[in-house]
Amino acid sequence: MVYVITGANRGIGLELCPQVKERGDEVVAVCRHRSADLDKLGARVIDGVDVRNLDDVRRLREQLDGTKIDVLINVAGILSNQQLGKIDEPAIEAIRAQFEVNALGPVLVTQALMDLLHKGSKVGIITSRMGSIADNGSGGSYGYRMSKAAVNAAGKSLAIDLEPRGISVVLLHPGYVRTDMTGGSGGIDPEEAARGLLARLDDLSLETTGSFWHQNGEQLPW
């Protein structure tokens, strides 16, 4: 099987790569900037790809021409924290960037690679339970929450649009993971999160397409 993983140079994306390779599957690691840790894995790396940039995404499609993709995992994302009363011009730019990377990016990548997917292929989108409206009990984090709610909506539409082609889509919350994005804080390590994410992708089928899951197996509310 061939897995294409965006945001593969660090964090959860980086940890997914060796776990996929350990299964005997092929990894195509996609990122903006390759890292020494990624290069050590021996996976095929396609760097210079900013998922919000249409030209970069088109170039990714060209480099993957002829590749039969079994699993596409959209991991690339950014996080910044905007609080009420402090949403000024720089904060607005940070919110806009989160929308572009976190919500628009997976749509652009999936659209570009759509013809390389096939009946039985799977698309995973790494979102967050912070994008759940029903689960929001603490407020704040305006840009991140809105961008993740947006990608949840996009993922549901992708599931509907791709289902006739036999392609299933799932929205996945990795947990609160100790990565650079979270400043090293969190409740679980990337290794545990990646194992859970791959298990949820293994479980995904057309019967469960368009659903929203925690990597630990809990179905999450919208």
Side-chain angles (χ1 to χ4, degrees):
M1 293 179 64
V2 176
Y3 285 69
V4 174
I5 303 172
T6 71
N9 61 319
R10 63 177 187 167
I12 296 167
L14 178 64
E15 181 54 39
L16 283 165
C17 294
Q19 291 196 29
V20 169
K21 283 178 64 68
E22 286 168 8
R23 297 172 165 217
D25 295 319
E26 180 182 345
V27 175
V28 180
V30 180
C31 56
R32 282 192 301 163
H33 307 292
R34 65 197 305 144
S35 65
D37 288 336
L38 179 58
D39 287 336
K40 290 175 185 176
L41 300 179
R44 179 184 177 187
V45 177
I46 301 178
D47 60 0
V49 178
D50 186 330
V51 297
R52 59 187 160 178
N53 184 297
L54 194 54
D55 288 339
D56 286 359
V57 172
R58 286 171 174 162
R59 183 172 56 81
L60 170 64
R61 168 61 184 83
E62 291 172 1
Q63 293 190 61
L64 288 172
D65 193 41
T67 302
K68 182 180 178 182
I69 300 173
D70 298 294
V71 183
L72 167 62
I73 312 179
N74 292 283
V75 183
I78 58 174
L79 164 67
S80 58
N81 188 6
Q82 291 78 43
Q83 299 299 323
L84 191 62
K86 299 180 180 179
I87 302 177
D88 53 11
E89 286 80 1
I92 291 169
E93 288 304 310
I95 290 171
R96 183 175 291 115
Q98 287 174 98
F99 266 102
E100 291 177 351
V101 175
N102 298 346
L104 182 59
V107 176
L108 294 181
V109 171
T110 304
Q111 173 182 262
L113 304 184
M114 184 169 58
D115 66 325
L116 302 180
L117 302 171
H118 56 86
K119 184 177 181 179
S121 289
K122 301 178 180 184
V123 177
I125 298 173
I126 306 306
T127 179
S128 172
R129 71 187 309 161
M130 289 183 72
S132 168
I133 296 170
D135 190 60
N136 184 353
S138 58
S141 300
Y142 282 84
Y144 193 70
R145 286 190 187 278
M146 290 190 295
S147 69
K148 291 302 187 179
V151 81
N152 286 352
K156 181 65 176 181
S157 285
L158 285 170
I160 292 168
D161 291 339
L162 294 176
E163 185 174 8
R165 301 181 55 182
I167 300 165
S168 50
V169 180
V170 67
L171 294 138
L172 295 169
H173 169 60
Y176 186 26
V177 187
R178 286 184 281 268
T179 64
D180 290 342
M181 180 182 283
T182 62
S185 61
I188 61 172
D189 290 324
E191 294 85 354
E192 180 181 350
R195 281 195 301 272
L197 294 170
L198 290 174
R200 302 288 75 74
L201 282 161
D202 290 342
D203 292 343
L204 177 63
S205 68
L206 288 176
E207 286 69 39
T208 57
T209 191
S211 51
F212 181 20
W213 295 86
H214 193 299
Q215 59 83 14
N216 66 11
E218 172 191 359
Q219 189 163 10
L220 295 172
W222 299 108

